[in-house]
Structure formats: C-alpha cells, structure tokens
Amino acid sequence: MYSVRMRARRHARHHSGAERLVPGDAVDQAAAAMVRRAMNHSRGRAETIELAIEELDSKQIEYGVLPDVQTWQVSDFHQGRRAAANLLCSLGVGPAAVETAFADMIRGAAPDGGNMRGAMLVDVHSGCRLEPDPARGVRVSRMDLSTEARRNLSRVLQQQDLDQETVREALVLAAKVRMAPGIVAELCWSDDPDYTAGYVASPERGYIRFPHLKPRGDRRGGRAFFVRGACVPLNALLDYLQLRPILFDRVGHLHPPQFWTESGS
Ligand code: PML
C-alpha cells in the first residue's frame, strides 16, 4: 500500500488537501485525481501543489470501523452551536474547553485570525491549547476507506442524500481522530462559505451532524480535538494522528435524523 497526500496553497494560504491509501497500481490515478481537485477547486486554482507518495509496510496498517452517523436538526446556527456545546459537555468536555474551541473557531483560530491549516488541540479540563504550532495546527494524515467500505458508505449515505465527498472525507477523518489515544471528542465546521454544516464526533456517541453551525457566507471554520492532556503524552497523540496508517474497512449505522430541542435530546 502507498500513502498519497496532497497539500495545495493559494495566496500563501492553505487551499485544499487530500489523503488516500491505495495499492501500488492505483497511485498514479489517485495522484492525478488530487491534482485535478486542486486545479478545479471552488476556491480557484491552486498556486502550489505538493504531492507526497510513500510506500507503507502493510504490517503497520491498522483497520477500523467508521462511526455511526446521525443528523440533529436545528433551526439555525445559534441553536446548532448550543446543541453542539451541550453534547460536548455531556461527553465530559469541560466548560473552559468548550468556550476556547467556539471562541477561537468563531474569530479564526490561527494567530492572524485566519483559519488554521490543521486542528487545534484543546485540553478537556483547562481549555488550554496544546498544539505545538498554533498557525499550522495538527493535520490528520494516512487514512482512507477500503474499496468495499467506500461502496458501502456511498450506499448508506444515499439514503439521506448525504453521499458527498465533504461528508465522506469528514467521516473518515473523524473516525481516525476518535481512535486516537486521549481523544474525548472533536468539533468541526467547514471553512467553505456555502457549507454551514458541522459535527461533533466522539468514541462514545459517534458522528453527530448539525446542518447549521455557522452563518452562510462565513469563511471561518476548522477543527478542535478535545484531549485528556494530562493522561497522554502529546508526542504519542501527534504520532498517531499524523503518521499511523488506518484503513476503514467497515461502515457504521446511519440513524434517522432527529430534532434537537432546547431541553436536550
Ligand atoms: C458533514 O456535513 O457531515 C460534514 C461537515 C464538516 C465538513 C468539514 C470540511 O469541510 O471538511
């Protein structure tokens, strides 16, 4: 198996990225698809594209199952944020950590107020940011779906009209994050101004989507990983997220959507 990774930049900022784990005879096709994606993106053409192709020892590859998925319907992003914050608290994320994550993602989590290239790491108790480089953040890498899981996932997501690349890729990333040592939950919403949905993913509750976590037109978005900072050496967590290859060969269940109510669902 090979890891194929793409990172593109435009106007000196992150533009797009992609991750695949593919057999040797599919490397050229995967790489070409990534270049096409960077050149035909809704954010315009990439100015620089970096491709990294690396052979993996098949004994290193771990196999996993995607989380169950459910959409919690909310009326607008205000309600969506309240629902996501309540869910995070119920998962054991402390109020300071919830506050840090929302405040930083709303104002732009990088030091210059822009989006981070990767995720922030937030200590579940203190709310302190733990990532070594607050502009870059932590990029989750070396994960993909097996061919059969990709087919099954599309079939499952089609039932609720969710079979889109954005959803599939977010699910694979969230699936790897929730397997990482010390992770309690993840909060994410997109930086695409036309995509208002986001999610909270966790080992306990799976992947819970909210159709609105930000106002339409807002370019700010990103990811926060909530970590039991005192229990896990940071290097072990970073190694897992960035280097450990994981192939998801099984999909979870897609539950019927439910309406979130202020009294709690
Ligand atoms: C979804 O609709 O479930 C995906 C939401 C977050 C997408 C974040 C991203 O752009 O990667």
Side-chain angles (χ1 to χ4, degrees), residues 166-167 170 188-191 195 197-199 207 209 223:
T166 309
V167 179
C188 165
W189 66 78
S190 177
D191 59 4
Y195 200 94
Y199 64 86
Y207 181 99
R209 310 178 57 251
R223 290 186 156 86

Side-chain angles (χ1 to χ4, degrees), residues 43 69 71 162 164 166-171 173 188-192 195-199 207-211 222-223:
R43 288 191 195 116
V69 179
T71 299
L162 291 174
Q164 302 146 23
T166 309
V167 179
R168 289 191 303 264
E169 288 187 351
L171 250 172
L173 188 148
C188 165
W189 66 78
S190 177
D191 59 4
D192 176 341
Y195 200 94
T196 61
Y199 64 86
Y207 181 99
I208 299 187
R209 310 178 57 251
F210 304 90
R223 290 186 156 86

Side-chain angles (χ1 to χ4, degrees), residues 169-216:
E169 288 187 351
L171 250 172
V172 172
L173 188 148
K176 179 169 180 185
V177 172
R178 75 185 197 128
M179 287 168 71
I183 290 285
V184 175
E186 173 189 356
L187 169 69
C188 165
W189 66 78
S190 177
D191 59 4
D192 176 341
D194 295 322
Y195 200 94
T196 61
Y199 64 86
V200 170
S202 62
E204 214 174 299
R205 301 287 303 264
Y207 181 99
I208 299 187
R209 310 178 57 251
F210 304 90
H212 311 285
L213 278 187
K214 70 169 194 183
R216 190 167 292 283

Side-chain angles (χ1 to χ4, degrees), residues 95-259:
V98 173
E99 171 62 29
T100 300
F102 274 97
D104 288 3
M105 277 168 63
I106 288 167
R107 86 174 152 69
D112 66 356
N115 291 324
M116 292 168 76
R117 282 178 277 156
M120 58 178 131
L121 294 181
V122 183
D123 182 275
V124 270
H125 297 301
S126 68
C128 290
R129 299 241 322 239
L130 304 175
E131 69 279 6
D133 177 346
R136 179 179 178 275
V138 179
R139 291 212 62 107
V140 186
S141 194
R142 297 174 174 82
M143 67 282 181
D144 201 353
L145 292 161
S146 69
T147 307
E148 196 187 345
R150 184 176 298 278
R151 214 174 16 245
N152 289 340
L153 180 63
S154 283
R155 192 172 37 77
V156 167
L157 292 177
Q158 273 162 19
Q159 295 165 22
Q160 290 179 20
D161 217 8
L162 291 174
D163 186 28
Q164 302 146 23
E165 196 160 58
T166 309
V167 179
R168 289 191 303 264
E169 288 187 351
L171 250 172
V172 172
L173 188 148
K176 179 169 180 185
V177 172
R178 75 185 197 128
M179 287 168 71
I183 290 285
V184 175
E186 173 189 356
L187 169 69
C188 165
W189 66 78
S190 177
D191 59 4
D192 176 341
D194 295 322
Y195 200 94
T196 61
Y199 64 86
V200 170
S202 62
E204 214 174 299
R205 301 287 303 264
Y207 181 99
I208 299 187
R209 310 178 57 251
F210 304 90
H212 311 285
L213 278 187
K214 70 169 194 183
R216 190 167 292 283
D218 189 346
R219 294 185 179 277
R220 277 161 303 189
R223 290 186 156 86
F225 302 159
F226 299 96
V227 188
R228 280 190 209 92
C231 306
V232 180
L234 194 56
N235 281 348
L237 175 61
L238 295 175
D239 279 1
Y240 193 91
L241 292 171
Q242 295 173 342
L243 301 177
R244 187 72 184 259
I246 307 205
L247 197 58
F248 292 94
D249 57 355
R250 283 153 293 156
V251 303
H253 294 289
L254 177 66
H255 296 286
Q258 67 174 52
F259 284 90

